[in-house]
Coordinates of all heavy atoms in Angstrom, one line a residue:
M124 N 0.7 2.7 16.9 CA 0.5 1.7 15.8 C -0.8 1.1 16.0 O -1.4 1.0 17.1 CB 1.6 0.7 15.9 CG 3.0 1.1 15.7 SD 3.2 1.6 13.9 CE 4.9 1.9 13.9
D125 N -1.3 0.6 14.8 CA -2.6 0.0 14.8 C -2.6 -1.1 13.7 O -1.8 -1.0 12.8 CB -3.7 0.9 14.5 CG -5.1 0.4 14.8 OD1 -5.2 -0.7 15.4 OD2 -6.1 1.0 14.4
R126 N -3.4 -2.1 13.9 CA -3.4 -3.2 12.9 C -4.9 -3.4 12.5 O -5.8 -3.4 13.3 CB -2.9 -4.5 13.5 CG -2.8 -5.6 12.5 CD -2.3 -6.9 13.0 NE -1.7 -6.8 14.3 CZ -1.3 -7.9 15.0 NH1 -1.5 -9.1 14.6 NH2 -0.7 -7.7 16.2
R127 N -5.1 -3.4 11.2 CA -6.4 -3.6 10.6 C -6.4 -4.8 9.7 O -5.3 -5.2 9.2 CB -6.9 -2.4 9.9 CG -6.9 -1.1 10.7 CD -8.1 -0.9 11.5 NE -8.0 0.2 12.3 CZ -8.7 1.3 12.3 NH1 -9.6 1.4 11.3 NH2 -8.5 2.3 13.1
S128 N -7.5 -5.3 9.3 CA -7.5 -6.5 8.4 C -8.5 -6.2 7.3 O -9.7 -5.9 7.6 CB -7.9 -7.7 9.2 OG -7.9 -8.8 8.3
W129 N -8.1 -6.3 6.1 CA -9.0 -6.3 4.9 C -8.6 -7.4 4.0 O -7.5 -7.8 3.9 CB -8.8 -5.0 4.1 CG -9.3 -3.8 4.9 CD1 -10.6 -3.3 4.9 CD2 -8.5 -2.9 5.7 NE1 -10.7 -2.2 5.7 CE2 -9.4 -1.9 6.2 CE3 -7.2 -2.8 6.0 CZ2 -9.0 -0.9 7.0 CZ3 -6.8 -1.8 6.8 CH2 -7.7 -0.8 7.3
Y130 N -9.6 -7.9 3.2 CA -9.3 -8.9 2.2 C -9.0 -8.2 0.9 O -9.6 -7.2 0.6 CB -10.5 -9.8 2.1 CG -10.7 -10.7 3.2 CD1 -11.6 -10.4 4.2 CD2 -9.9 -11.9 3.4 CE1 -11.8 -11.2 5.3 CE2 -10.1 -12.7 4.5 CZ -11.0 -12.4 5.4 OH -11.2 -13.2 6.5
M131 N -8.1 -8.8 0.1 CA -7.8 -8.3 -1.2 C -7.4 -9.5 -2.1 O -7.0 -10.5 -1.5 CB -6.7 -7.3 -1.2 CG -5.3 -7.8 -0.7 SD -4.0 -6.5 -0.8 CE -4.5 -5.4 0.5
P132 N -7.5 -9.3 -3.4 CA -7.0 -10.4 -4.3 C -5.5 -10.7 -4.0 O -4.7 -9.9 -3.6 CB -7.2 -9.8 -5.7 CG -8.2 -8.7 -5.5 CD -8.0 -8.2 -4.1
K133 N -5.2 -12.0 -4.1 CA -3.8 -12.5 -3.9 C -2.8 -11.7 -4.7 O -1.8 -11.3 -4.3 CB -3.7 -14.0 -4.2 CG -2.3 -14.5 -3.9 CD -2.3 -16.0 -4.1 CE -0.9 -16.6 -3.7 NZ 0.2 -15.8 -3.7
E134 N -3.2 -11.4 -6.0 CA -2.3 -10.7 -6.9 C -2.0 -9.3 -6.3 O -0.8 -8.8 -6.4 CB -2.9 -10.6 -8.3 CG -3.1 -11.9 -9.0 CD -4.4 -12.6 -8.6 OE1 -5.3 -11.9 -8.1 OE2 -4.4 -13.8 -8.7
S135 N -3.0 -8.6 -5.8 CA -2.8 -7.3 -5.2 C -1.9 -7.4 -3.9 O -1.0 -6.6 -3.7 CB -4.1 -6.7 -4.8 OG -4.9 -6.5 -5.9
A136 N -2.2 -8.4 -3.1 CA -1.4 -8.6 -1.9 C 0.1 -8.9 -2.2 O 1.0 -8.3 -1.6 CB -2.0 -9.7 -1.0
D137 N 0.3 -9.7 -3.2 CA 1.6 -10.0 -3.7 C 2.4 -8.8 -4.2 O 3.5 -8.6 -3.9 CB 1.6 -11.1 -4.7 CG 1.2 -12.5 -4.2 OD1 1.2 -12.6 -2.9 OD2 0.9 -13.4 -5.0
A138 N 1.6 -8.0 -5.0 CA 2.3 -6.8 -5.6 C 2.6 -5.8 -4.5 O 3.7 -5.1 -4.5 CB 1.3 -6.1 -6.6
L139 N 1.7 -5.6 -3.5 CA 2.0 -4.7 -2.4 C 3.2 -5.2 -1.6 O 4.0 -4.4 -1.2 CB 0.7 -4.6 -1.5 CG 0.9 -3.7 -0.3 CD1 1.2 -2.3 -0.6 CD2 -0.5 -3.7 0.5
A140 N 3.2 -6.5 -1.3 CA 4.4 -7.0 -0.5 C 5.7 -6.8 -1.3 O 6.7 -6.5 -0.7 CB 4.1 -8.5 -0.3
A141 N 5.6 -7.0 -2.6 CA 6.9 -6.8 -3.4 C 7.3 -5.4 -3.4 O 8.5 -5.1 -3.3 CB 6.6 -7.3 -4.9
A142 N 6.3 -4.5 -3.6 CA 6.7 -3.0 -3.5 C 7.2 -2.6 -2.2 O 8.2 -1.9 -2.1 CB 5.5 -2.2 -3.9
L143 N 6.6 -3.2 -1.1 CA 7.1 -2.9 0.2 C 8.5 -3.4 0.4 O 9.4 -2.6 1.0 CB 6.2 -3.5 1.2 CG 6.4 -3.3 2.7 CD1 6.3 -1.8 3.1 CD2 5.5 -4.2 3.6
E144 N 8.8 -4.6 0.0 CA 10.2 -5.1 0.1 C 11.2 -4.3 -0.7 O 12.3 -4.0 -0.2 CB 10.2 -6.6 -0.3 CG 9.6 -7.5 0.7 CD 10.4 -7.6 2.0 OE1 11.6 -7.5 2.0 OE2 9.7 -7.6 3.0
E145 N 10.8 -4.0 -1.9 CA 11.7 -3.2 -2.8 C 12.0 -1.8 -2.1 O 13.2 -1.4 -2.1 CB 11.1 -3.0 -4.1 CG 11.9 -2.2 -5.1 CD 11.3 -2.0 -6.4 OE1 10.5 -2.9 -6.9 OE2 11.6 -1.0 -7.1
L146 N 11.0 -1.1 -1.7 CA 11.2 0.2 -1.0 C 12.0 0.0 0.3 O 12.8 0.9 0.6 CB 9.9 0.9 -0.8 CG 9.2 1.4 -2.1 CD1 7.8 1.8 -1.9 CD2 10.0 2.5 -2.7
H147 N 11.7 -1.0 1.0 CA 12.4 -1.2 2.3 C 13.9 -1.4 2.1 O 14.7 -0.7 2.8 CB 11.8 -2.5 3.0 CG 12.6 -2.9 4.2 ND1 12.6 -2.2 5.4 CD2 13.4 -4.0 4.4 CE1 13.4 -2.8 6.2 NE2 13.8 -3.9 5.7
W148 N 14.3 -2.2 1.1 CA 15.7 -2.4 0.9 C 16.4 -1.2 0.2 O 17.5 -0.9 0.4 CB 15.9 -3.7 0.1 CG 15.6 -4.9 1.0 CD1 14.6 -5.7 0.9 CD2 16.3 -5.3 2.1 NE1 14.6 -6.7 1.9 CE2 15.7 -6.4 2.7 CE3 17.5 -4.8 2.8 CZ2 16.1 -7.1 3.8 CZ3 17.9 -5.5 3.9 CH2 17.2 -6.6 4.4
S149 N 15.6 -0.5 -0.7 CA 16.2 0.6 -1.4 C 16.4 1.9 -0.5 O 17.2 2.7 -0.8 CB 15.5 0.9 -2.7 OG 14.2 1.5 -2.4
T150 N 15.5 2.0 0.4 CA 15.5 3.2 1.3 C 16.0 2.9 2.7 O 16.3 3.9 3.4 CB 14.1 3.8 1.4 OG1 13.2 2.9 2.1 CG2 13.5 4.1 0.1
R151 N 16.0 1.7 3.1 CA 16.4 1.3 4.5 C 15.4 1.9 5.5 O 15.8 2.0 6.7 CB 17.8 1.6 4.8 CG 18.8 1.0 3.9 CD 18.9 -0.5 4.1 NE 20.1 -1.0 3.5 CZ 20.1 -2.1 2.8 NH1 19.0 -2.8 2.6 NH2 21.2 -2.6 2.3
Q152 N 14.2 2.2 5.1 CA 13.2 2.7 6.1 C 12.4 1.6 6.6 O 12.2 0.6 6.0 CB 12.3 3.7 5.4 CG 13.0 5.0 4.9 CD 13.6 5.8 6.1 OE1 12.8 6.1 7.1 NE2 14.9 6.1 6.1
P153 N 11.9 1.8 7.8 CA 11.0 0.7 8.4 C 9.8 0.5 7.6 O 9.3 1.4 6.9 CB 10.7 1.3 9.8 CG 11.6 2.4 10.1 CD 12.1 2.9 8.8
K154 N 9.3 -0.7 7.6 CA 8.2 -1.1 6.7 C 6.9 -0.3 7.1 O 6.1 0.1 6.2 CB 7.9 -2.6 6.8 CG 9.0 -3.3 6.1 CD 8.7 -4.8 6.1 CE 9.9 -5.6 5.3 NZ 9.7 -7.0 5.3
H155 N 6.7 0.1 8.4 CA 5.5 0.8 8.8 C 5.6 2.2 8.2 O 4.6 2.8 7.8 CB 5.3 0.9 10.3 CG 6.3 1.7 11.0 ND1 7.5 1.2 11.4 CD2 6.3 3.0 11.4 CE1 8.2 2.2 12.1 NE2 7.4 3.3 12.1
V156 N 6.8 2.8 8.0 CA 7.0 4.1 7.4 C 6.6 4.0 5.9 O 5.9 4.9 5.4 CB 8.4 4.7 7.6 CG1 8.7 5.9 6.8 CG2 8.7 4.9 9.1
I157 N 7.1 3.0 5.3 CA 6.8 2.8 3.8 C 5.3 2.6 3.6 O 4.7 3.2 2.7 CB 7.6 1.6 3.3 CG1 9.1 2.0 3.4 CG2 7.2 1.3 1.9 CD1 10.0 0.8 3.2
M158 N 4.6 1.8 4.4 CA 3.2 1.5 4.3 C 2.4 2.9 4.5 O 1.5 3.2 3.7 CB 2.7 0.5 5.2 CG 3.0 -0.9 4.8 SD 2.2 -1.4 3.3 CE 0.5 -1.3 3.7
A159 N 2.8 3.6 5.5 CA 2.1 4.9 5.7 C 2.3 5.8 4.5 O 1.4 6.5 4.1 CB 2.7 5.6 7.0
T160 N 3.5 5.8 3.9 CA 3.7 6.7 2.8 C 3.0 6.2 1.5 O 2.4 7.0 0.8 CB 5.2 6.8 2.5 OG1 5.9 7.2 3.7 CG2 5.5 7.7 1.3
L161 N 2.9 4.9 1.3 CA 2.2 4.4 0.2 C 0.7 4.7 0.3 O 0.1 5.2 -0.6 CB 2.3 2.8 0.1 CG 3.6 2.3 -0.4 CD1 3.7 0.8 -0.2 CD2 3.8 2.6 -1.9
L162 N 0.2 4.6 1.5 CA -1.2 5.0 1.8 C -1.5 6.5 1.6 O -2.5 6.9 1.1 CB -1.7 4.5 3.1 CG -1.9 3.0 3.2 CD1 -2.1 2.6 4.7 CD2 -3.0 2.5 2.4
A163 N -0.6 7.3 2.1 CA -0.7 8.7 2.0 C -0.8 9.1 0.5 O -1.6 10.0 0.1 CB 0.4 9.4 2.7
V164 N 0.1 8.5 -0.3 CA 0.1 8.9 -1.8 C -1.2 8.4 -2.4 O -1.8 9.1 -3.2 CB 1.3 8.2 -2.5 CG1 1.2 8.3 -4.0 CG2 2.6 8.9 -2.0
A165 N -1.7 7.2 -2.0 CA -3.0 6.7 -2.6 C -4.1 7.6 -2.2 O -5.0 8.0 -3.0 CB -3.2 5.3 -2.1
L166 N -4.1 8.1 -0.9 CA -5.2 9.0 -0.4 C -5.1 10.3 -1.1 O -6.2 11.0 -1.4 CB -5.1 9.1 1.1 CG -5.4 7.9 1.9 CD1 -5.1 8.1 3.3 CD2 -6.9 7.5 1.7
E167 N -3.9 10.8 -1.5 CA -3.8 12.1 -2.3 C -4.4 11.9 -3.7 O -4.8 12.9 -4.3 CB -2.4 12.5 -2.4 CG -1.7 12.9 -1.1 CD -0.2 13.1 -1.2 OE1 0.4 12.8 -2.3 OE2 0.4 13.4 -0.2
Q168 N -4.6 10.7 -4.1 CA -5.0 10.4 -5.5 C -6.5 9.8 -5.5 O -6.9 9.1 -6.4 CB -4.1 9.4 -6.2 CG -2.7 9.9 -6.3 CD -2.6 11.2 -7.2 OE1 -3.3 11.2 -8.2 NE2 -1.9 12.1 -6.8
L169 N -7.3 10.1 -4.4 CA -8.6 9.5 -4.3 C -9.5 9.8 -5.5 O -10.2 8.9 -6.0 CB -9.3 10.0 -3.1 CG -9.0 9.3 -1.8 CD1 -9.8 9.9 -0.6 CD2 -9.2 7.8 -1.9
P170 N -9.5 11.0 -6.2 CA -10.3 11.1 -7.4 C -9.9 10.2 -8.5 O -10.8 9.6 -9.1 CB -10.1 12.6 -7.8 CG -9.7 13.3 -6.5 CD -8.9 12.2 -5.7
A171 N -8.6 9.9 -8.7 CA -8.2 9.0 -9.7 C -8.6 7.6 -9.3 O -8.9 6.8 -10.2 CB -6.6 9.1 -9.9
V172 N -8.5 7.2 -8.0 CA -8.9 5.9 -7.6 C -10.4 5.7 -7.8 O -10.8 4.7 -8.4 CB -8.6 5.7 -6.1 CG1 -9.2 4.4 -5.5 CG2 -7.1 5.8 -5.9
E173 N -11.2 6.7 -7.5 CA -12.6 6.6 -7.7 C -12.9 6.5 -9.2 O -13.8 5.6 -9.6 CB -13.3 7.9 -7.2 CG -14.8 7.8 -7.3 CD -15.5 9.1 -6.7 OE1 -14.8 10.0 -6.4 OE2 -16.7 9.0 -6.6
Q174 N -12.3 7.2 -10.1 CA -12.5 7.1 -11.5 C -12.1 5.7 -12.0 O -12.9 5.1 -12.8 CB -11.7 8.1 -12.3 CG -12.2 9.5 -12.1 CD -13.5 9.6 -12.8 OE1 -14.6 9.4 -12.1 NE2 -13.6 10.0 -14.0
R175 N -11.1 5.1 -11.5 CA -10.7 3.8 -11.9 C -11.7 2.7 -11.5 O -12.1 1.8 -12.2 CB -9.3 3.4 -11.4 CG -8.8 2.1 -11.9 CD -7.4 1.8 -11.5 NE -6.5 2.7 -12.2 CZ -5.2 2.5 -12.2 NH1 -4.6 1.4 -11.6 NH2 -4.4 3.4 -12.8
I176 N -12.2 2.9 -10.2 CA -13.2 2.0 -9.7 C -14.5 2.1 -10.5 O -15.1 1.1 -10.9 CB -13.5 2.2 -8.2 CG1 -12.3 1.9 -7.4 CG2 -14.7 1.5 -7.8 CD1 -12.3 2.4 -6.0
K177 N -14.9 3.3 -10.8 CA -16.2 3.5 -11.6 C -16.0 3.0 -13.0 O -17.0 2.6 -13.6 CB -16.6 5.0 -11.6 CG -17.1 5.4 -10.2 CD -17.5 6.9 -10.3 CE -18.1 7.3 -9.0 NZ -18.5 8.7 -9.0
G178 N -14.8 3.0 -13.6 CA -14.6 2.6 -14.9 C -14.5 1.1 -15.1 O -14.5 0.6 -16.2
Q179 N -14.5 0.3 -14.0 CA -14.4 -1.1 -14.1 C -15.8 -1.7 -14.4 O -16.8 -1.4 -14.2 CB -13.9 -1.7 -12.8 CG -12.5 -1.4 -12.5 CD -12.0 -2.0 -11.2 OE1 -12.7 -2.6 -10.5 NE2 -10.7 -1.8 -11.0

């Protein structure tokens, strides 16, 4: 396990925390497993993420 720290808007942090809680209770999986999966899915979508960033 590792811990890192990044700043993000409060709204983003709140949405991430809500998604994490929802998935934790609906799947009964540990939160570190859910975070790893959320990040893996985001990383699979890097071109879409880049497009969204560039479009802002």
Side-chain angles (χ1 to χ4, degrees):
M124 297 287 186
D125 194 11
R126 185 180 344 173
R127 307 272 172 117
S128 178
W129 291 276
Y130 290 98
M131 66 175 67
K133 183 176 182 342
E134 298 81 22
S135 298
D137 290 345
L139 179 58
L143 183 64
E144 284 297 318
E145 179 180 331
L146 289 167
H147 172 68
W148 290 110
S149 69
T150 66
R151 300 291 194 225
Q152 293 297 307
K154 290 181 180 180
H155 72 275
V156 170
I157 296 165
M158 282 298 295
T160 305
L161 285 169
L162 289 171
V164 170
L166 292 170
E167 290 169 2
Q168 299 298 318
L169 276 182
V172 172
E173 183 178 9
Q174 287 295 86
R175 186 173 294 191
I176 292 167
K177 288 180 176 179
Q179 290 181 356

